[in-house]
């Protein structure tokens, strides 16, 4: 993981990159590769998310809290989810990751409006699908709002429904990552 980049542009991504960029990121990369008119975008990789968890110490606090949870206790599930999301949203992003995100965003243009889109890296199975479980934010503009939206996408990995779904389908929270697509918004 140490060599894996924090940022990949769609032009660098292929369908074999799902562990780093998730299904959405890989699909957008493939569409870009074949020449379809895909708006410019970069992906904050799953490795960046994992580095964030490690460098902020969340690995040591977040996962034990979730592992001790009885997901069938709705009140405990919601309380743990709220706490987990708040921990991810309020942790100070490591400077290197933050700067790489902002440098990439700024290279898209001055105050470009973007969609900040979660991209699940867990592989869908015949009996389990992660589609639509994590959040997307539209009409994001400016450095601080982009950083905030990325962290809120990361935090959405810990919604009550996502924690419950993983537990009931045998996915370990410690191994599930998330990537985030930051893409120029196209106004319909």
């Amino acid at each position: 993981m140490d060599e894996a980049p924090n940022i990949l542009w769609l032009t660098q991504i292929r369908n074999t990159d799902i562990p780093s960029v998730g299904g959405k990121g890989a699909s957008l990369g493939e569409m870009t590769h074949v020449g379809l008119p895909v708006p410019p975008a970069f992906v904050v990789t799953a490795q960046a998310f994992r580095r964030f968890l490690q460098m902020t110490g969340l690995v040591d606090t977040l996962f034990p809290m979730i592992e001790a949870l009885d997901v069938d206790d709705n009140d405990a599930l919601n309380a743990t989810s709220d706490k987990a999301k708040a921990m991810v949203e309020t942790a100070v992003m490591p400077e290197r990751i933050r700067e790489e995100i902002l440098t990439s965003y700024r290279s898209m243009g001055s105050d470009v409006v973007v969609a900040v889109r979660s991209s699940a890296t867990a592989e869908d199975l015949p009996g389990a699908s992660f589609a639509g479980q994590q959040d997307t934010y539209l009409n994001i503009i400016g450095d601080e709002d982009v950083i905030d939206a990325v962290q809120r996408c990361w935090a959405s990995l810990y919604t009550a429904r996502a924690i419950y779904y993983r537990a009931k389908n045998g996915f370990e929270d410690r191994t599930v990552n998330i990537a985030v697509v930051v893409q120029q918004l196209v106004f319909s």
Side-chain angles (χ1 to χ4, degrees):
M1 181 179 73
D2 289 339
E3 296 178 22
N6 289 325
I7 302 292
L8 288 171
W9 287 88
L10 293 186
T11 55
Q12 300 171 290
I13 297 170
R14 298 304 304 269
N15 63 0
T16 54
D17 293 318
I18 289 174
S20 291
V21 300
K24 184 178 293 147
S27 294
L28 289 167
E30 278 297 313
M31 289 188 289
T32 299
H33 179 74
V34 299
L36 293 173
V38 178
F42 63 90
V43 178
V44 182
T45 65
Q47 291 80 10
F49 170 69
R50 186 55 52 174
R51 287 183 188 107
F52 165 80
L53 292 178
Q54 291 171 344
M55 295 171 79
T56 59
L58 287 172
V59 167
D60 300 324
T61 55
L62 183 66
F63 296 127
M65 179 179 70
I66 294 172
E67 289 164 352
L69 173 65
D70 173 4
V71 296
D72 290 316
D73 179 341
N74 197 47
D75 291 337
L77 175 62
N78 285 319
T80 300
S81 169
D82 289 345
K83 186 174 181 181
K85 290 186 306 181
M87 290 166 65
V88 173
E89 289 173 358
T90 61
V92 176
M93 186 180 291
E95 192 60 29
R96 178 176 166 218
I97 297 170
R98 177 184 168 82
E99 281 309 310
E100 287 184 46
I101 293 169
L102 293 179
T103 298
S104 299
Y105 170 65
R106 291 170 187 152
S107 75
M108 296 172 83
S110 177
D111 288 328
V112 66
V113 179
V114 294
V116 181
R117 311 171 68 194
S118 298
S119 185
T121 61
E123 193 169 333
D124 288 337
L125 302 171
S129 174
F130 291 89
Q133 286 197 11
Q134 281 76 51
D135 293 342
T136 288
Y137 298 95
L138 304 176
N139 298 310
I140 303 300
I141 186 169
D143 290 358
E144 294 311 311
D145 288 343
V146 168
I147 294 297
D148 179 63
V150 168
Q151 279 190 245
R152 287 188 292 148
C153 283
W154 287 345
S156 72
L157 193 59
Y158 303 105
T159 62
R161 74 175 180 267
I163 293 169
Y164 182 86
Y165 191 82
R166 287 192 298 271
K168 291 300 182 179
N169 286 285
F171 291 90
E172 293 184 26
D173 285 285
R174 284 186 186 267
T175 63
V176 176
N177 291 313
I178 187 169
V180 178
V181 177
V182 179
Q183 186 169 34
Q184 183 175 354
L185 189 66
V186 174
F187 295 97
S188 57

